[in-house]
């Protein structure tokens, strides 16, 4: 199995780098962006072409695997292996020339996260990890922070591109901010999860993320020693994703619960 996972990891890296090349050929600030479901939710031809490159590379190497992509890729598989793709995480950042965007490739086997690759396409860093076998950034080992005190923790978060949801998220934020050292918002959840993996963030929470937003970064965070949970919220869209080093997780979830973001029976 270990050799199989290493083979899958190699394919994921190769595919992600092919998609990253699509990012590199584009010129942020001159990208023509269309709208998805709101004026805040953008999509570009870079998203679509990067997904085509990912699907082509993965299908050539693994024709029997399933593929799910943010921009509509939906390949049925028979192997039990499923590839979860975000061809351009942080599209709005990319369009505006803001330096936080990525290609994210996650792999599940029989529904379980096993590995992920995230290419930071601005800084040209490659994060990778196999759950239970460790995580890396550009080949160097990375591990989660050991910070246990929420008051000294740097926490990441994000906001959905839906006005009504953002109003609720702002209220949750009002409760969380006084309890932590500070908050950060990159607009690229895959990179936020990698920041948890590398100990740059002590924890991260965000509600309503798609499967493609979570899969790769969550696998890398888990591989680096983080705990990752998907909770239900009475006031925010499912899932409420929380990632943190294991010693900080309970305090972060408790703070979110006190803010009303976690269902009472959890």
């Amino acid at each position: 199995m270990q050799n199989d996972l290493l083979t899958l990891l190699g394919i994921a890296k190769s595919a992600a780098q092919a998609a990253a090349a699509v990012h590199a050929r584009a010129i942020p600030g001159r990208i023509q962006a269309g709208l998805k479901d709101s004026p805040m939710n953008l999509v570009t031809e870079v998203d679509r072409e990067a997904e085509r490159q990912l699907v082509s590379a993965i299908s050539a190497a693994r024709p029997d695997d399933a593929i799910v992509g943010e921009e509509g890729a939906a390949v049925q598989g028979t192997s039990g292996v499923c590839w979860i793709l975000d061809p351009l995480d942080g599209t709005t950042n990319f369009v505006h020339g803001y330096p936080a965007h990525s290609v994210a490739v996650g792999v599940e086997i029989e529904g379980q996260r096993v590995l992920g690759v995230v290419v930071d396409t601005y800084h040209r860093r490659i994060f990778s990890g196999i759950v239970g076998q460790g995580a890396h950034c550009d080949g160097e080992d990375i591990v989660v922070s050991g910070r246990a005190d929420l008051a000294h923790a740097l926490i990441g978060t994000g906001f959905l591109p839906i006005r009504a949801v953002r109003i609720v998220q702002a209220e949750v934020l009002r409760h969380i901010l006084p309890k932590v050292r500070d908050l950060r918002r990159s607009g690229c959840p895959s990179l936020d999860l990698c920041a948890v993996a590398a100990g740059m963030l002590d924890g991260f929470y965000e509600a309503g993320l798609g499967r493609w937003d979570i899969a790769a970064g969550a696998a890398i965070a888990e591989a680096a020693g983080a705990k990752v949970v998907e909770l239900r919220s009475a006031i925010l869209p499912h899932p409420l994703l929380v990632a943190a080093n294991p010693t900080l997780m309970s305090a972060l979830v408790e703070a979110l619960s006190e803010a009303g973001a976690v269902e009472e029976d959890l």
Side-chain angles (χ1 to χ4, degrees), residues 1-229:
M1 176 59 77
Q2 181 176 1
N3 288 338
D4 291 342
L5 292 178
L6 289 173
T7 298
L8 293 174
L9 185 66
I11 294 167
K13 286 182 178 180
S14 179
Q17 287 172 312
V22 177
H23 293 205
R25 288 194 295 270
I27 305 173
R30 299 181 185 177
I31 303 299
Q32 294 298 311
L35 301 180
K36 286 188 176 180
D37 50 7
S38 84
M40 302 170 232
N41 198 7
L42 303 180
V43 64
T44 72
E45 183 55 32
V46 176
D47 298 68
R48 300 185 184 99
E49 177 58 25
E51 183 158 295
R52 286 192 284 268
Q53 291 294 327
L54 288 168
V55 172
S56 176
I58 292 164
S59 295
R62 302 277 306 184
D64 297 325
D65 293 353
I67 302 175
V68 176
E70 182 177 12
E71 304 310 326
V75 177
Q76 299 297 314
T78 58
S79 67
V81 176
C82 184
W83 298 76
I84 317 297
L85 312 178
D86 195 334
L88 175 46
D89 190 15
T91 299
T92 300
N93 291 343
F94 191 81
V95 169
H96 285 265
Y98 189 80
H101 41 77
S102 74
V103 176
V105 178
V107 177
E108 297 176 354
I109 297 179
E110 303 297 345
Q112 298 297 311
R113 279 192 296 265
V114 294
L115 64 87
V117 171
V118 173
V119 179
D120 178 340
T121 53
Y122 182 87
H123 298 100
R124 300 184 181 182
R125 298 180 294 187
I126 301 177
F127 294 90
S128 63
I130 297 175
V131 177
Q133 298 184 31
H136 304 86
C137 179
D138 290 340
E140 298 293 326
D141 292 349
I142 54 175
V143 295
V144 295
S145 80
R147 194 163 286 111
D149 185 350
L150 188 63
H152 295 155
L154 187 63
I155 303 298
T157 191
F159 311 118
L160 280 185
I162 303 169
R163 294 182 190 277
V165 175
R166 287 184 170 187
I167 292 170
V168 180
Q169 289 174 317
E171 185 62 19
V172 172
L173 190 69
R174 185 176 71 84
H175 287 274
I176 297 297
L177 186 55
K179 298 180 179 181
V180 301
R181 171 165 283 162
D182 212 341
L183 281 158
R184 295 289 181 266
R185 195 263 172 149
S186 77
C188 183
S190 64
L191 289 181
D192 288 332
L193 287 163
C194 289
V196 173
M200 295 181 284
L201 290 175
D202 301 301
F204 171 76
Y205 75 91
E206 186 169 352
L209 292 173
R211 189 177 176 190
W212 39 81
D213 296 310
I214 296 171
I220 294 167
E222 289 178 334
K227 186 174 181 180
V228 181
V229 297

